[in-house]
Amino acid sequence: DYRYSGDVINYLPFGFLQDLGSLGKPNEATIYGYGFNNVSYLINGNLINNRTQNSFNLYNLQLESIDSVEVYTLPRGFLGGSFLNPVTINFITKNNYPAKPYTKIRFSQASNEEGIIDFLFHTYINKKTDIKINISNYSMSDGFYNTEYGNWQAFVSAKYIMSNIVNFMFDYNYSKAQTRLNGGVDLESLESNYTSELVKTNMFDQLIAIVNYEDRYQKEMGHRLNFKVLATVLKSLPTTLDFYYQNNTQSFHDKVNDYNNYQKIDTTVQLNKYNLVGININQKFNLPYFDSDFGFNMERISFNSDILSNSRKINSASFWGIN
């Protein structure tokens, strides 16, 4: 029962998805009882949280690209990413390239013209280089008023097997979404217009129910680039080196009445942008009586965010180790 990537949370130990009931709405995923601003979301070890809000919209993660999910044990949760969140979830993308090219299409339809299509294609360029392309679209028209949702996503992954010692991987993710935010049914308006019996019926009627906000919506667009080097110079000392770039723009909109021209003007209430470049280094030591894992991360983030009230640049560095 996977509608989108967030549904995976319900199947994890101590995982629960607080679903707002409509495709695209900002549901909250909780692990060990922790939700927004407490969970680090990683892809293949790299933090993908929105840096201005310390959260991640799981609608922006393509379901077909996920191979497995790693949940850090609670005492180690703060080791994932650089935010020191108590909980960390690591989504591991499919890296088991099959011997033959393949194509997979997942398609579904539901009420309110809800549609989901997930297209995955894999082929080889030569014996040492292969490529995967994943294109997804989620869309839904009005159920209750002002509930439309649309999301386009693309994922391109290429792997070059140089030798048994060194491999190279390149990933690119793109997402663009628009979510209508009606704020739920306005019970006070219903109670002032209908009897108590009709209120119970009309609050579930998608045509009659009055919503709190008729013109609020949110736009989001993001890019993620990652270049990974996998090296094992010595059999017991595997090294992973990641160079990555992320760009995210999120804008919150509302329409206000222009009584002079008898129309509504679309206004941007809040705009939040950031760009970042970073590097991740992971070194393992698999020796007799000595099994250790060390990591180093460095990022430079440029913000232009109304949440932060101004533009700023932040440099961060973190180091962690497990023995």
Side-chain angles (χ1 to χ4, degrees), residues 1 3 8 19 64 107 176 195 215 248 284 312:
D1 184 22
R3 194 183 194 186
V8 174
D19 196 327
E64 289 299 326
F107 174 77
K176 183 179 181 180
T195 64
D215 298 301
N248 184 273
K284 297 180 183 293
R312 65 178 68 174

Side-chain angles (χ1 to χ4, degrees), residues 201-212:
T201 303
N202 292 345
M203 67 183 295
F204 298 106
D205 191 310
Q206 296 182 352
L207 298 176
I208 298 177
I210 303 169
V211 298
N212 283 293

Side-chain angles (χ1 to χ4, degrees), residues 24-266:
K25 291 296 177 287
N27 305 328
E28 181 175 10
T30 62
I31 301 287
Y32 298 115
Y34 290 98
F36 285 146
N37 205 38
N38 285 286
V39 181
S40 294
Y41 291 97
L42 315 180
I43 289 186
N44 301 323
N46 291 325
L47 185 70
I48 56 174
N49 281 32
N50 185 308
R51 297 306 197 269
T52 58
Q53 299 169 337
N54 188 18
S55 64
F56 180 71
N57 184 356
L58 289 167
Y59 280 100
N60 295 332
L61 177 63
Q62 289 169 288
L63 182 61
E64 289 299 326
S65 66
I66 299 174
D67 176 76
S68 55
V69 183
E70 176 187 15
V71 181
Y72 286 31
T73 56
L74 195 55
R76 293 184 178 182
F78 72 97
L79 296 177
S82 55
F83 279 1
L84 299 180
N85 291 321
V87 177
T88 292
I89 303 174
N90 185 26
F91 293 97
I92 302 170
T93 58
K94 294 176 180 176
N95 191 28
N96 51 334
Y97 294 87
K100 295 181 179 181
Y102 72 94
T103 300
K104 181 179 179 181
I105 298 175
R106 183 173 67 96
F107 174 77
S108 68
Q109 276 187 309
S111 58
N112 302 318
E113 297 183 19
E114 177 184 315
I116 299 171
I117 186 167
D118 213 334
F119 173 79
L120 182 64
F121 173 74
H122 163 262
T123 190
Y124 286 90
I125 298 176
N126 54 45
K127 290 183 178 180
K128 291 188 175 183
T129 308
D130 48 21
I131 186 170
K132 278 195 292 194
I133 300 173
N134 190 188
I135 299 174
S136 307
N137 177 243
Y138 295 75
S139 64
M140 179 180 142
S141 63
D142 268 342
F144 289 89
Y145 191 76
N146 197 34
T147 56
E148 303 104 310
Y149 174 70
N151 188 347
W152 279 100
Q153 299 175 70
F155 170 68
V156 179
S157 175
K159 183 177 181 180
Y160 175 60
I161 304 174
M162 182 176 178
S163 67
N164 290 333
I165 297 176
V166 180
N167 292 342
F168 300 96
M169 296 181 66
F170 170 81
D171 294 336
Y172 169 69
N173 291 82
Y174 166 82
S175 63
K176 183 179 181 180
Q178 180 169 302
T179 308
R180 293 281 176 172
L181 304 170
N182 63 22
V185 174
D186 185 352
L187 286 177
E188 290 185 2
S189 296
L190 283 175
E191 289 170 351
S192 64
N193 286 281
Y194 300 99
T195 64
S196 58
E197 289 300 321
L198 285 176
V199 167
K200 294 178 182 178
T201 303
N202 292 345
M203 67 183 295
F204 298 106
D205 191 310
Q206 296 182 352
L207 298 176
I208 298 177
I210 303 169
V211 298
N212 283 293
Y213 309 112
E214 296 184 354
D215 298 301
R216 290 188 179 183
Y217 65 97
Q218 179 178 280
K219 288 183 177 181
E220 184 174 9
M221 183 165 64
H223 303 268
R224 294 198 308 268
L225 281 166
N226 178 256
F227 178 70
K228 184 187 295 284
V229 181
L230 304 170
T232 309
V233 179
L234 297 177
K235 188 176 181 180
S236 58
L237 301 174
T239 303
T240 303
L241 181 62
D242 278 296
F243 301 94
Y244 59 92
Y245 166 82
Q246 294 180 26
N247 170 279
N248 184 273
T249 302
Q250 190 180 77
S251 56
F252 179 65
H253 299 255
D254 201 356
K255 291 183 179 180
V256 297
N257 292 314
D258 181 3
Y259 295 104
N260 294 323
N261 297 313
Y262 302 101
Q263 64 180 2
K264 289 188 175 182
I265 301 175
D266 195 340

